[in-house]
Amino acid sequence: MNELKVDNIIIQVRDKLQKDGIKLWLSPYYLPTGPSTCELERLAREYSSDLNIQYDCCYAAVSELQSIALEKLKQRDLYRASGIATLKMKILVQNVPPKLISRQICLKEMGQHLKRMVSETTNVPEESLKLIANGKVIEDSKSLFEQGVQNGQQILALTLNQSLTDLRETESRCQEIENVKADTQLLASDDNDYMELEDQAGNPVRIPAHERKALMVALALHEKGKSALKREDYSRALVFFLDADKEFSQCNSQLLNSVDNYALLDLDIAWCYLCLQSVSQLPEAYNRLKRCQTVFEKSYGPNLERLIAVKGTPGNEAVLFLRLHLLQGIVLFHQNKREEALQLFKQVERELQKLKVDENSLIALMELGYSAAEARLGLRAVHGDVNSAANYINENREKRAESRLKAKEEKLLRREQERLGRCADGKQFVNPSFVKILTDMGYKKEAARSALKNCNNIISDSVQYIQENPGPSSSVSAEMLSLVHGLIPELEAAGFDANMARRALEECDGDVMKAANTLLTNSGVIHDDDKKEKMEEAYLRLSEDISMVDDDHLDLTLQQEALFLQQYMSLLNPPM
């Protein structure tokens, strides 16, 4: 809080200096012999009166701003003369006050070199450091110049090895992001039950396969970051969020504009910057918050009117607007737009009051067997009535369960249709219900499938077809075996192993193009024995610290928000 009080004075003094066109590095404030104490004292007295700030504080701010200006000039001249840039490094270690250091480096150097310099200064292993610039994690293998780093820029240095005593555990933690990506890519295919894209009502979301994989990786990284955020491990959360941001950028812009996940990520990144006391990232946070507001207003309406029309209540999504308004107010505060900031803070005060949850009501619902998250979300949705909250929770559970059951049934039907294959007309899949009718009549399943395929799902014709074309009792038709056998040479000619080609063709029901793509995706190797085990292990790793609570992103206690609001309001309305 003391640091924020100092910033509050510097913000006001800096803004007035800019408006008055005063340059502290020039005469009469700076002379060939050094700072002009008389002129600085006179300026401090004048500003103390104009800004209603104590003289001592005002003089300290003017002196500090002069020192910063002179240092920037030296850094600029050094960079122009030699190409050596000066970077400010803000070192963030959990439970330790931030430390600001400066380092000089050529911007043609790789990110790895800068990380090594920070490591030597902080005694933190390189593997445990993440450097952030321009809203992105600095890559080791690219030059600083390529990554947009500029002379005089402040870099965030996050340490990720708090309370780790074993080096192997440290390395494992630092590989976490790559592991999440690999596990998600394994589980992101559309033929398993481990991961599913769904909307807020539990309905499945269908998108092209290539975008599905990128989106699911981004969402998994975001979820891992949110888990770290709940533990107040802001450094780790920010690294996950920025990597999620990188994955989101690979998705179609039209897709990103149609969902609010990307906006939620922007909000979480800005929140991390605030919790890490990273004021230097405010310009980037401002752009993220602006984008976030646009998406929220498009999705929910400027005053949540669309949300009220659909759900009948704005209760839970309103917490997102509260956090957005708080962050926007803080950005405005640091831009010295004090009146605009004050108006937003007053709005946040009103929103906090509306969203406040009674502790006794929360306990009453938890005693009925509901989780704290369900109870909080339920109470906010119905404005605090316990009985209505219980009904709301139960109805939500039932609606989601129905949607997921329907989605599962549709998925099973789609899989069965794909397994049975298309009919001779190429327009429809073999109908699984018709296959069951024929098997109930005593026909073999493969014979029923083949007949329906050739007769385009006409049952009467299919019965006649079976009688006229008695097939093998084997579970694999001679027709399919012949097809696979005939296509294997084509894939062999393309350089694939014959056994792998056979497996791929069998998995893809004889579709040579699909089989070729499967082989290319899996580097020519089809694992048919241990894939399920690997997927199970990946799922367990991925889900171990991800919340399975529906609408978990809306379950905010708002305690931190209230604390930040109190701090900033006290600076805008100081006690008399």
Side-chain angles (χ1 to χ4, degrees), residues 3 133 241:
E3 185 179 345
F241 290 155

Side-chain angles (χ1 to χ4, degrees), residues 1-15 51-53 57 61 279 333-334 336 338 567-574:
M1 185 61 184
N2 288 334
E3 185 179 345
L4 188 57
K5 286 180 178 178
V6 172
D7 285 344
N8 181 39
I9 294 169
I10 287 180
I11 288 166
Q12 295 178 74
V13 172
R14 180 194 289 119
D15 186 60
L51 299 174
N52 196 25
I53 297 173
C57 296
V279 178
F333 174 88
H334 285 277
N336 203 41
R338 302 172 76 80
Q567 290 177 347
Y568 279 92
M569 284 292 278
S570 69
L571 296 173
L572 290 174
N573 293 315

Side-chain angles (χ1 to χ4, degrees), residues 308-327:
I308 295 169
V310 174
K311 288 190 174 183
T313 172
N316 290 313
E317 279 77 5
V319 299
L320 302 177
F321 277 83
L322 183 150
R323 182 173 278 189
L324 172 65
H325 295 151
L326 175 64
L327 286 165

